[in-house]
Amino acid sequence: MEKTINQKAWFLVLPVLVLVAFSAVIPLMTVVNYSVQDTFGQNQFFWAGLEWFDEMLHSERMWDALGRQLMFSAIILTIQIPLGVFVALNMPKSGFWSSFCLVVMSLPLLIPWNVVGTIWQIFGRVDIGLLGYSLDALGISYNYTQNTFAAWVTIIIMDVWHWTSLVALLAFAGLKSIPDAYYQAAKIDQASRWAIFRYIELPKMMGVLMIAILLRFMDSFMIYTEPFVVTGGGPGNATTLLSIDLVKMALGQFDLGPAAAFSIMYYLVILLISWVFYTVMINLDKREG
Amino acid sequence: MSDATAHPVSQTTSQPKKRLKIKVSVVVMTLYLLFLMLPIYWLLNMSLKTNTEVLNEFTLWPRNLTFANYATILTDPAWYSGYINSIIYVVMNTVISLTVALPAAYAFSRYRFMGDSHLFFWLLTNRMAPPAVFALPFFQLYSSVGLFDTHIAVALAHCLFNVPLAVWILEGFMRGVPKEIDETAYIDGYSFGRFFVKIFMPLIASGIGVAAFFCFMFSWVELLLSRTLTTVDAKPISAIMTRTQGAAGIDWGVLAAAGVLTIVPGALVIYFVRNYIAKGFALGRV
């Protein structure tokens, strides 16, 4: 759609601007403020320059957490995106069963995140959980509170359970927007199932899939509540992801300076990666439109 | 559908192959839905057992069906006030988010103005901000203005990610409304305000519904900020649940019942927007 140039439109955007400035810019400035100062308590601060950033950049703790976080996000994306697309391809296209699948699939998305954690904490327990009990009965040793591998498997399956439906719903919305004529043309050409997917469905889904990847990346990168409830970051530090580590540092130990420096770098990493996704997405939009 | 008449013909020609394919997708969907429902079923199952049965026997369904766990929650103010608090700030947040997002989304969908694309991306960056980064500053900000432990504090804090999301979704829906409608209304002598409320909003009613649903959802599921900003008066149900876990000897039955009750509001609202969920998740861009 052609848009007219109208500077007065700023007035319409103003409320959003004021509100978001209050709830985002002011707190963010607080963080920046802390990141360059040091304190001995009693609200006396003095300039510390980039000391905290330097310290955090050389701290093994942060690099370890970042490594775990990147691994977590990478595993999540490689499982959820293909699985979500696969589920979407198998969903009934219309009628009662389509609505039924949509409602059931959305259910995990609407459960409070700590309840998701609680569900899996219970589900995985060897004594009272179905999953843990069954695995134990099969003779597989599984204990997510003591075994690093089991803890990782648990939080990954939990996230797959929680969020794959989002990818599937998005892919499904993309699939439904493909006109029937495309499939009829493919049928005339006797295209194989794979060819239909590769040359019709996948390109048409690309736009929504980028949104899915963007959302899943952002959310998996800031995940806090679910793994915190299930493993509490343990065993040891095995599942201490970035947010868990940050909250521990800021609210637990009250190390304001390092925590603030950590926050800023954390935010910048997300921003950078998301900006790349966003630019790709906008360009895809333009090419289609 | 236009190919309804062509369907029976193609089915008779390739019947065996087609039937097999349908079966595969049914199996896939059944397995997937089963995978989704099992943990929820297990929670429901536990919520209907007594604590002794939970701990002493391993049963696939409750042998001594009891609603005592639910009764505990629904009669104890310490428990059910959590639900009320959660619902209050979630509704507040949804109203605030939509009120400010509607005009902004209209501006983005209709006009070009200085810095519009930058502003749009900046809004999105707030959706990317990790709540963990904001927890401490929010705590200090709201304490300093005397809003700590109030519903409005949580509602405003959740605007951080809900307002950008609402703007995005509404903008996507508004783009689908032809501009000629606006112009005709202005020629007919409608003022902007009257046009917006009387003509434009009914046109994007489904979009508003979807945006409201998403604001509701993300405010409902969030824990970190709402827990940090409240202590007693506005404490959400999810925070109450985490506290009881620390007590000596967890009452699994009550915990499970509380969990089941948090799923109910979501399940209810989902039913109303089921046909628009997918479009909403695509931020109105399908």
Side-chain angles (χ1 to χ4, degrees), chain A residues 1-7 9-10 12-13 15-17 19-28 30-31 34 83 86-87 90-92 99-115 118-123 125 127-130 133 157 160-161 163-166 168-170 172-174 177 180 184 187 193 208 211 214-215 218-219 222 224-225 228-229 243 246-247 250-251 254 256 263 266-267 270-271 274-275 278 281 285, chain B residues 1-3 10 21 24-25 28-29 32-33 35-40 42-43 46 54-55 58 60 96 100-101 103-104 106-114 117 119-138 140-142 156 159-160 163 167-168 171 174-175 177 179 192 213 217-218 220-224 227-228 238-239 241-242 245 252 255-256 259 262-263 266-267 269-270 274-275 277-279 281-283 285-286:
Chain A
M1 194 192 304
E2 262 313 295
K3 292 183 190 170
T4 39
I5 297 176
N6 184 349
Q7 302 298 346
W10 263 102
L12 295 174
V13 195
V16 164
L17 210 62
L19 185 67
V20 177
F22 178 72
S23 62
V25 176
I26 297 177
L28 209 57
T30 326
V31 176
Y34 281 135
L83 184 63
F86 179 67
V87 168
N90 284 302
M91 265 176 80
S99 298
F100 179 79
C101 288
L102 279 175
V103 172
V104 174
M105 281 165 64
S106 323
L107 213 51
L109 302 171
L110 276 150
I111 301 176
W113 294 345
N114 70 311
V115 179
T118 308
I119 290 177
W120 281 88
Q121 189 192 23
I122 293 173
F123 200 56
R125 279 178 68 109
D127 51 349
I128 57 172
L130 184 60
Y133 189 87
I157 294 182
V160 168
W161 177 83
W163 288 111
T164 303
S165 296
L166 172 69
L169 288 174
L170 279 168
F172 181 67
S177 69
D180 273 340
Q184 283 156 10
K187 204 167 205 174
R193 185 73 196 84
V208 276
I211 297 179
L214 180 68
L215 284 176
M218 291 183 331
D219 289 342
M222 359 193 242
Y224 169 79
T225 313
F228 181 75
V229 172
S243 273
L246 179 57
V247 171
L251 295 174
F254 242 67
L256 295 184
S263 298
Y266 183 12
Y267 194 12
I270 293 196
L271 221 55
S274 300
W275 182 76
Y278 179 79
M281 205 168 87
D285 248 19
Chain B
M1 287 283 169
S2 57
D3 63 345
S10 62
K21 207 182 110 197
V24 169
S25 69
V28 168
M29 284 317 288
Y32 182 65
L33 295 186
F35 166 63
L36 292 185
M37 292 317 291
L38 261 185
I40 298 180
W42 199 250
L43 192 74
M46 287 201 25
V54 170
L55 290 174
F58 186 84
L60 290 177
I96 297 173
V100 298
Y106 181 78
F108 282 122
S109 74
R110 290 295 190 264
Y111 302 117
R112 289 181 54 102
F113 47 94
M114 215 169 57
S117 56
L119 191 64
F120 205 58
F121 179 69
W122 176 70
L123 276 179
L124 183 72
T125 60
N126 291 302
R127 174 66 181 73
M128 301 166 191
V133 169
F134 284 89
L136 181 66
F138 269 158
Q140 293 179 323
L141 175 68
Y142 288 108
L156 283 175
C159 283
L160 174 70
V163 168
V167 172
W168 262 60
E171 199 266 346
M174 286 177 183
R175 271 205 294 199
V177 179
K179 215 176 158 189
F192 173 73
F213 167 75
M217 162 180 160
F218 280 110
W220 180 254
V221 297
E222 208 277 339
L223 170 75
L224 180 56
R227 191 186 61 187
T228 312
S238 30
M241 281 178 68
T242 53
Q245 278 175 27
W252 291 105
L255 186 69
T262 61
I263 303 178
V269 288
I270 234 174
R274 64 190 179 285
N275 293 324
I277 296 169
K279 191 170 179 184
F281 274 118
L283 304 174
R285 273 157 189 75
V286 180

Side-chain angles (χ1 to χ4, degrees), chain A residues 238-287:
Chain A
T239 53
T240 304
L241 302 171
L242 278 176
S243 273
I244 297 179
D245 206 16
L246 179 57
V247 171
K248 225 186 253 174
M249 206 186 281
L251 295 174
Q253 304 161 342
F254 242 67
D255 283 340
L256 295 184
F262 186 164
S263 298
I264 289 171
M265 288 189 279
Y266 183 12
Y267 194 12
L268 284 181
V269 171
I270 293 196
L271 221 55
L272 184 73
I273 303 177
S274 300
W275 182 76
V276 172
F277 279 128
Y278 179 79
T279 317
V280 173
M281 205 168 87
I282 293 296
N283 286 338
L284 270 176
D285 248 19
K286 273 195 193 134
R287 230 189 304 156

Side-chain angles (χ1 to χ4, degrees), chain A residues 142-216:
Chain A
Y142 168 85
N143 188 334
Y144 65 81
T145 52
Q146 274 154 31
N147 183 322
T148 304
F149 182 70
W152 268 84
V153 170
T154 311
I155 60 170
I156 283 167
I157 294 182
M158 173 176 69
D159 204 75
V160 168
W161 177 83
H162 192 183
W163 288 111
T164 303
S165 296
L166 172 69
V167 182
L169 288 174
L170 279 168
F172 181 67
L175 278 178
K176 271 188 85 163
S177 69
I178 303 175
D180 273 340
Y182 282 70
Y183 290 108
Q184 283 156 10
K187 204 167 205 174
I188 292 168
D189 288 347
Q190 304 209 315
S192 65
R193 185 73 196 84
W194 169 250
I196 293 177
F197 174 71
R198 172 69 187 78
Y199 295 104
I200 297 177
E201 292 172 334
L202 194 60
K204 280 277 165 188
M205 271 195 293
M206 222 44 212
V208 276
L209 271 187
M210 285 311 295
I211 297 179
I213 294 172
L214 180 68
L215 284 176
R216 281 318 300 133

